[in-house]
Amino acid sequence: MRVERRSAREGLLLPPLLCGCLLFGCQSEDRIVIQLTVDPIDDQILDTGVEVQLTVSLSGGPGDHFLHAYSSDTSVVTVSVSNGLLTLTGVGTGTADVTVSVSAPTGRRLHAAVFRVTVDSELQRTAREREVLAAFYHATGGPDWKTSTNWLTDDLDSWHGVTVGDGRVKSLILEENNLRGAIAEALGILGRLDHLEAALFASNGLSGEIPDTLAGLQLLRFLDLRDNDLRGPIPEALGRLDSLQGLNLPGNDLKGPIPEALGRLSALSHLSLADNDLNGPIPEALGDLSGLTFLQLDGNDLAGPIPEALDGLSRLGHLGLAGNDLSGPIPEALARLSNLSGLFLQNNELTGGIPEALGNLSNLVFLNLSDCDLSGGVPDTLGTLSRLWTLDLSVNPQLTGPLPPSLTALSDLKHIDFRGTGLCSPADAAFQEWLEGVPQAHGQVCE
């Protein structure tokens, strides 16, 4: 494939010195430093008849360059490269070396990457997966697991927590099972289970950092690591898990920003990063997750405004941003989340008034705006939220005035709290009768 690189000065007059270089040659194109990257560059394991595509990118000087790909044994694997994608096709069992190179028009090779490809038979695959799981067992303190029924026996399908389909390991469900050890080693091992669809390890004692090698699990749909002892950053590499539908990482000690790369997980419907030590802003890229139905970022150190880009989450049913350091106004753009049933913004530094547009959230059941710095009155439009069960406005000292009579239309309301504010309930009989019918009602009556 010919990779075209256009000069940033294309269409402009060239300075005399550059013209001289073009005429007489200041530097041969063969001497331009070109870097070639294959992602991922790890050794590959394929099935016969299966295609895998890797990304090939170039960085370096301008000019015309050519990409080439070679297999040392085409009876094992064939290769082709086009439009920045390297395609590997398993042909027969065995091992071959694949070389990807970039050359100048003169034919001189400028850079190359070499890695190994293994094509397995069904028997070899079964043996390899058993070997991988055995290594995982030992890396996570298997003899001390709460339940390890049939592990290390010949019948892989009978191992506790292991699901096998079509001869391949499809899922590992080992929640609350006393798994211990550094996750970088343990899950790095699992990166070789290329048909794994679910890895559920919640409520164990896994520690260390989340390894980049998890990005090799291209069929993974669910990753649940909540309530462990994980630390360090959330790897950018998780943004390459194109099949991922659920990412559950709450209740750990993860630090650093939320990676922008998570915004590339187009299949994602559930994302929970709550109760960690994450900081920085909420990435606007999360607004690209149009299939997201659940977003929970509570209990971190996230700062800055709530991005208006979150209005792109048209299917979102739960938005939890409580217990952070978020500031600025509540964006009116949130009122476009028509499927939202729970909006939790409490315990932040949000300012300004309660947007009237929140009355458009006709499916809202829970609205918690407590313990912020909101000001002004309660808009009449909240009385249109006919499904509302909980309305918590407490600990906002700058909220003032009587509650609007329109709230009496909220016949399903179970909890209302306006303590620690300048709000009060109207003293008229109709409002008080309605308020007495709310099982949990807390706040003062207007004088």
Side-chain angles (χ1 to χ4, degrees):
M1 178 189 71
R2 178 172 176 159
V3 178
E4 296 186 46
R5 296 192 173 266
R6 298 164 65 94
S7 168
R9 302 184 60 92
E10 185 175 354
L12 301 179
L13 293 176
L14 300 177
L17 179 60
L18 181 56
C19 290
C21 288
L22 293 176
L23 290 172
F24 304 108
C26 290
Q27 180 181 16
S28 168
E29 189 172 356
D30 284 7
R31 297 186 180 183
I32 295 173
V33 177
I34 295 292
Q35 185 72 30
L36 180 149
T37 303
V38 179
D39 184 21
I41 189 59
D42 305 324
D43 291 350
Q44 300 291 313
I45 302 176
L46 304 182
D47 295 341
T48 54
V50 170
E51 286 189 358
V52 171
Q53 288 189 325
L54 311 181
T55 302
V56 181
S57 57
L58 300 177
S59 59
D64 291 333
H65 307 105
F66 298 88
L67 282 176
H68 312 273
Y70 310 93
S71 169
S72 64
D73 189 342
T74 55
S75 67
V76 173
V77 61
T78 59
V79 299
S80 63
V81 62
S82 178
N83 297 321
L85 292 176
L86 173 67
T87 302
L88 310 175
T89 303
V91 178
T93 59
T95 300
D97 290 329
V98 171
T99 302
V100 186
S101 65
V102 57
S103 64
T106 59
R108 177 175 175 175
R109 179 181 292 183
L110 303 177
H111 195 266
V114 181
F115 56 94
R116 179 154 292 183
V117 175
T118 300
V119 180
D120 282 349
S121 66
E122 183 176 351
L123 183 62
Q124 290 171 322
R125 287 195 302 272
T126 302
R128 176 174 57 83
E129 292 193 341
R130 183 180 286 106
E131 178 185 337
V132 169
L133 289 179
F136 175 78
Y137 173 85
H138 292 297
T140 56
D144 297 322
W145 285 4
K146 184 185 298 184
T147 305
S148 57
T149 306
N150 291 329
W151 272 74
L152 307 185
T153 66
D154 290 338
D155 185 9
L156 186 62
D157 200 17
S158 70
W159 293 13
H160 170 74
V162 177
T163 301
V164 177
D166 298 326
R168 309 304 300 269
V169 174
K170 295 290 187 178
S171 69
L172 282 177
I173 303 176
L174 295 169
E175 300 170 307
E176 299 182 12
N177 204 40
N178 198 38
L179 275 64
R180 304 286 172 179
I183 199 168
E185 178 183 0
L187 291 191
I189 292 169
L190 295 186
R192 295 166 57 197
L193 296 178
D194 48 10
H195 278 64
L196 194 65
E197 295 180 2
L200 310 182
F201 305 120
S203 303
N204 283 290
L206 296 171
S207 59
E209 298 189 0
I210 300 173
D212 287 348
T213 49
L214 287 183
L217 299 174
Q218 288 300 300
L219 298 183
L220 193 67
R221 294 187 292 130
F222 303 101
L223 177 61
D224 190 349
L225 300 173
R226 70 184 187 276
D227 298 329
N228 279 284
D229 297 315
L230 306 179
R231 57 178 173 80
I234 298 173
E236 290 271 349
L238 295 187
R240 298 203 298 266
L241 294 173
D242 295 337
S243 300
L244 202 63
Q245 298 174 20
L247 177 59
N248 221 14
L249 303 178
N252 287 288
D253 296 312
L254 300 171
K255 301 183 186 302
I258 298 173
E260 292 272 351
L262 297 187
R264 298 199 294 265
L265 298 174
S266 58
L268 204 63
S269 63
H270 179 108
L271 176 60
S272 179
L273 309 177
D275 299 323
N276 283 288
D277 294 315
L278 301 171
N279 56 30
I282 298 173
E284 292 195 1
L286 296 187
D288 296 332
L289 301 175
S290 59
L292 208 61
T293 61
F294 185 94
L295 176 59
Q296 188 176 43
L297 306 178
D298 311 73
N300 284 288
D301 297 315
L302 301 172
I306 299 173
E308 293 198 4
L310 295 185
D311 69 352
L313 306 179
S314 59
R315 299 183 183 179
L316 198 67
H318 177 105
L319 178 57
L321 305 179
N324 283 288
D325 297 316
L326 300 171
S327 58
I330 299 172
E332 291 200 6
L334 296 185
R336 291 194 279 273
L337 302 178
S338 58
N339 289 304
L340 206 62
S341 63
L343 178 58
F344 302 91
L345 304 181
Q346 69 268 26
N347 194 16
N348 278 290
E349 299 173 9
L350 300 173
T351 56
I354 301 172
E356 291 187 4
L358 293 186
N360 295 329
L361 297 175
S362 58
N363 289 303
L364 206 61
V365 177
F366 304 99
L367 177 59
N368 196 330
L369 306 178
S370 64
D371 199 9
C372 291
D373 294 315
L374 300 173
S375 58
V378 177
D380 291 340
T381 54
L382 296 193
T384 65
L385 301 176
S386 59
R387 299 186 179 184
L388 204 63
W389 282 16
T390 297
L391 176 59
D392 195 339
L393 306 174
S394 61
V395 198
N396 281 285
Q398 298 183 72
L399 285 177
T400 58
L403 296 175
S406 62
L407 295 186
T408 60
L410 302 179
S411 57
D412 290 335
L413 198 68
K414 303 294 188 293
H415 176 94
I416 183 170
D417 194 343
F418 48 99
R419 292 173 293 185
T421 72
L423 299 170
C424 59
S425 63
D428 65 87
F431 196 97
Q432 290 300 313
E433 181 181 356
W434 168 79
L435 195 62
E436 288 175 4
V438 178
Q440 297 181 32
H442 308 286
Q444 64 184 353
V445 180
C446 298
E447 298 180 357

